[in-house]
Amino acid sequence: MPSTALTTVTSSSTPATDPWPTVLRLLTGRDYSQAVLRKRLLDKGFDPVRIDDVLQRCLELGYLDDARYALSRATSLMRQGRAVGPRILIDLRQRGISEELATEALDKAREAYDEKQLLTSLLQRRFPDFRYDAAPDKERRRVVHFLQRRGFAISSIMDQLTRRGLETNDENG
């Protein structure tokens, strides 16, 4: 009498051949650059030729657009105060965005958000009681380096910190 037990084959034991369902699942969650999506699919073991076909199909359908991704990423980083200026360009390049598209996205993001206002807001939010003129050297370096890592220019940082110190002194004096 033959066995009626069903044997199940798990997806991890058979190599995936069609990257399309995976691409759709990934793009449903969030936007990706072509380079990052290609890397994700290669890491999952899909055939590079099939990946190229699927990415081309995504481009044709408008599911994938590096310019849209770059603008979205740049404005998001600026809105959250996580990066400005050259830091955004570095971030976009790391995600496979061309220099031209990265610069264009940064320019458009700068139209939407004022870097000086972002710096003021970030200082108020992260360091509400910080006074540069009264802080010890170690604390001054910590705050300045934090802001530099976000991409703010040292001249803007020092201008903002010294102006803030003068405003505080005027209020107290």
Side-chain angles (χ1 to χ4, degrees):
M1 182 156 187
S3 170
T4 58
L6 296 174
T7 57
T8 59
V9 177
T10 61
S11 60
S12 61
S13 65
T14 59
T17 57
D18 186 11
W20 183 247
T22 303
V23 166
L24 291 179
R25 183 179 45 77
L26 289 170
L27 290 174
T28 299
R30 68 178 181 92
D31 222 359
Y32 286 88
S33 68
Q34 287 183 59
V36 170
L37 191 55
R38 175 178 275 109
K39 182 178 178 342
R40 293 279 309 258
L41 294 171
L42 286 169
D43 290 347
K44 290 182 180 291
F46 290 106
D47 175 45
V49 174
R50 306 265 333 240
I51 291 172
D52 290 341
D53 293 343
V54 166
L55 292 180
Q56 185 58 42
R57 184 174 174 195
C58 287
L59 288 169
E60 290 167 2
L61 294 171
Y63 295 169
L64 199 56
D65 182 347
D66 277 358
R68 180 182 66 218
Y69 172 79
L71 178 59
S72 173
R73 178 83 180 156
T75 55
S76 175
L77 288 170
M78 284 186 81
R79 181 180 59 251
Q80 296 169 6
R82 291 178 38 216
V84 297
R87 181 67 190 104
I88 288 177
L89 293 175
I90 292 167
D91 183 89
L92 292 174
R93 276 189 234 120
Q94 288 173 341
R95 286 168 168 66
I97 301 298
S98 71
E99 188 70 30
E100 181 183 340
L101 286 179
T103 303
E104 188 178 309
L106 177 59
D107 291 344
K108 287 181 181 178
R110 280 182 168 153
E111 291 173 10
Y113 297 98
D114 178 27
E115 287 185 25
K116 286 184 180 182
Q117 181 57 41
L118 289 171
L119 178 57
T120 302
S121 171
L122 186 59
L123 277 168
Q124 289 171 349
R125 190 174 69 243
R126 292 294 301 249
F127 308 104
D129 299 326
F130 179 76
R131 286 190 39 215
Y132 187 80
D133 57 338
D137 285 343
K138 186 175 181 179
E139 183 70 8
R140 286 179 181 184
R141 284 191 304 272
R142 185 179 74 80
V143 171
V144 170
H145 290 158
F146 170 84
L147 296 169
Q148 282 183 305
R149 283 189 307 273
R150 299 282 172 120
F152 292 102
I154 188 68
S155 58
S156 298
I157 295 169
M158 295 311 299
D159 180 52
Q160 191 70 244
L161 290 175
T162 54
R163 183 178 317 127
R164 189 174 180 194
L166 293 173
E167 291 170 359
T168 305
N169 288 339
D170 289 345
E171 291 172 4
N172 294 334

